[in-house]
PDB file of all heavy atoms in Angstrom:
ATOM      1  N   GLU A 193       7.963 -10.774  26.728  1.00 98.00           N
ATOM      2  CA  GLU A 193       7.419 -10.564  28.129  1.00 98.00           C
ATOM      3  C   GLU A 193       6.111 -11.326  28.447  1.00 98.00           C
ATOM      4  O   GLU A 193       5.865 -11.808  29.458  1.00 98.00           O
ATOM      5  CB  GLU A 193       7.143  -9.086  28.485  1.00 98.00           C
ATOM      6  CG  GLU A 193       8.418  -8.309  28.949  1.00 98.00           C
ATOM      7  CD  GLU A 193       8.301  -6.791  28.751  1.00 98.00           C
ATOM      8  OE1 GLU A 193       7.133  -6.378  28.609  1.00 98.00           O
ATOM      9  OE2 GLU A 193       9.266  -6.160  28.862  1.00 98.00           O
ATOM     10  N   HIS A 194       5.393 -11.572  27.315  1.00 98.00           N
ATOM     11  CA  HIS A 194       4.147 -12.334  27.317  1.00 98.00           C
ATOM     12  C   HIS A 194       4.275 -13.697  26.932  1.00 98.00           C
ATOM     13  O   HIS A 194       3.225 -14.416  26.806  1.00 98.00           O
ATOM     14  CB  HIS A 194       3.038 -11.544  26.642  1.00 98.00           C
ATOM     15  CG  HIS A 194       2.632 -10.257  27.321  1.00 98.00           C
ATOM     16  ND1 HIS A 194       3.353  -9.064  27.090  1.00 98.00           N
ATOM     17  CD2 HIS A 194       1.745  -9.954  28.311  1.00 98.00           C
ATOM     18  CE1 HIS A 194       2.832  -8.111  27.838  1.00 98.00           C
ATOM     19  NE2 HIS A 194       1.842  -8.651  28.566  1.00 98.00           N
ATOM     20  N   GLY A 195       5.415 -14.145  26.733  1.00 98.00           N
ATOM     21  CA  GLY A 195       5.743 -15.622  26.581  1.00 98.00           C
ATOM     22  C   GLY A 195       5.360 -16.133  25.213  1.00 98.00           C
ATOM     23  O   GLY A 195       5.045 -17.338  25.056  1.00 98.00           O
ATOM     24  N   TYR A 196       5.215 -15.290  24.258  1.00 98.00           N
ATOM     25  CA  TYR A 196       4.827 -15.786  22.868  1.00 98.00           C
ATOM     26  C   TYR A 196       5.976 -16.604  22.330  1.00 98.00           C
ATOM     27  O   TYR A 196       7.112 -16.132  22.385  1.00 98.00           O
ATOM     28  CB  TYR A 196       4.513 -14.617  21.892  1.00 98.00           C
ATOM     29  CG  TYR A 196       3.161 -14.002  22.221  1.00 98.00           C
ATOM     30  CD1 TYR A 196       3.074 -12.724  22.890  1.00 98.00           C
ATOM     31  CD2 TYR A 196       1.992 -14.697  21.893  1.00 98.00           C
ATOM     32  CE1 TYR A 196       1.850 -12.130  23.152  1.00 98.00           C
ATOM     33  CE2 TYR A 196       0.754 -14.118  22.176  1.00 98.00           C
ATOM     34  CZ  TYR A 196       0.655 -12.911  22.860  1.00 98.00           C
ATOM     35  OH  TYR A 196      -0.607 -12.361  23.071  1.00 98.00           O
ATOM     36  N   ASP A 197       5.647 -17.863  21.861  1.00 98.00           N
ATOM     37  CA  ASP A 197       6.886 -18.678  21.367  1.00 98.00           C
ATOM     38  C   ASP A 197       6.652 -18.858  19.839  1.00 98.00           C
ATOM     39  O   ASP A 197       5.936 -18.152  19.151  1.00 98.00           O
ATOM     40  CB  ASP A 197       6.687 -20.072  22.105  1.00 98.00           C
ATOM     41  CG  ASP A 197       5.406 -20.820  21.795  1.00 98.00           C
ATOM     42  OD1 ASP A 197       4.705 -20.435  20.854  1.00 98.00           O
ATOM     43  OD2 ASP A 197       5.074 -21.775  22.595  1.00 98.00           O
ATOM     44  N   ARG A 198       7.469 -19.747  19.342  1.00 98.00           N
ATOM     45  CA  ARG A 198       7.467 -19.920  17.860  1.00 98.00           C
ATOM     46  C   ARG A 198       6.214 -20.326  17.135  1.00 98.00           C
ATOM     47  O   ARG A 198       5.994 -20.105  15.988  1.00 98.00           O
ATOM     48  CB  ARG A 198       8.618 -20.931  17.436  1.00 98.00           C
ATOM     49  CG  ARG A 198       9.971 -20.438  17.958  1.00 98.00           C
ATOM     50  CD  ARG A 198      11.028 -21.058  17.002  1.00 98.00           C
ATOM     51  NE  ARG A 198      10.877 -20.631  15.624  1.00 98.00           N
ATOM     52  CZ  ARG A 198      11.643 -20.962  14.618  1.00 98.00           C
ATOM     53  NH1 ARG A 198      12.673 -21.733  14.874  1.00 98.00           N
ATOM     54  NH2 ARG A 198      11.429 -20.583  13.427  1.00 98.00           N
ATOM     55  N   GLY A 199       5.317 -20.879  17.981  1.00 98.00           N
ATOM     56  CA  GLY A 199       3.975 -21.294  17.444  1.00 98.00           C
ATOM     57  C   GLY A 199       2.943 -20.229  17.475  1.00 98.00           C
ATOM     58  O   GLY A 199       1.846 -20.344  17.157  1.00 98.00           O
ATOM     59  N   ALA A 200       3.439 -19.025  18.058  1.00 98.00           N
ATOM     60  CA  ALA A 200       2.421 -17.949  18.203  1.00 98.00           C
ATOM     61  C   ALA A 200       2.215 -17.165  16.867  1.00 98.00           C
ATOM     62  O   ALA A 200       3.030 -17.373  15.868  1.00 98.00           O
ATOM     63  CB  ALA A 200       2.969 -16.949  19.214  1.00 98.00           C
ATOM     64  N   ALA A 201       1.295 -16.268  16.710  1.00 98.00           N
ATOM     65  CA  ALA A 201       0.971 -15.531  15.612  1.00 98.00           C
ATOM     66  C   ALA A 201       0.805 -14.068  15.902  1.00 98.00           C
ATOM     67  O   ALA A 201       0.322 -13.751  17.013  1.00 98.00           O
ATOM     68  CB  ALA A 201      -0.147 -16.130  14.759  1.00 98.00           C
ATOM     69  N   VAL A 202       1.160 -13.233  14.901  1.00 98.00           N
ATOM     70  CA  VAL A 202       0.896 -11.793  15.082  1.00 98.00           C
ATOM     71  C   VAL A 202      -0.332 -11.431  14.117  1.00 98.00           C
ATOM     72  O   VAL A 202      -0.434 -11.999  13.017  1.00 98.00           O
ATOM     73  CB  VAL A 202       2.006 -10.952  14.580  1.00 98.00           C
ATOM     74  CG1 VAL A 202       1.733  -9.454  14.323  1.00 98.00           C
ATOM     75  CG2 VAL A 202       3.204 -11.084  15.576  1.00 98.00           C
ATOM     76  N   VAL A 203      -1.251 -10.579  14.604  1.00 98.00           N
ATOM     77  CA  VAL A 203      -2.239  -9.956  13.783  1.00 98.00           C
ATOM     78  C   VAL A 203      -1.977  -8.497  13.701  1.00 98.00           C
ATOM     79  O   VAL A 203      -1.949  -7.902  14.822  1.00 98.00           O
ATOM     80  CB  VAL A 203      -3.682 -10.338  14.314  1.00 98.00           C
ATOM     81  CG1 VAL A 203      -4.724  -9.508  13.537  1.00 98.00           C
ATOM     82  CG2 VAL A 203      -4.018 -11.873  14.150  1.00 98.00           C
ATOM     83  N   GLY A 204      -1.840  -7.984  12.562  1.00 98.00           N
ATOM     84  CA  GLY A 204      -1.535  -6.478  12.430  1.00 98.00           C
ATOM     85  C   GLY A 204      -2.839  -5.869  12.025  1.00 98.00           C
ATOM     86  O   GLY A 204      -3.488  -6.213  11.095  1.00 98.00           O
TER      87      GLY A 204
END
Side-chain angles (χ1 to χ4, degrees):
E193 278 162 14
H194 292 86
Y196 287 104
D197 62 17
R198 299 206 58 180
V202 165
V203 171

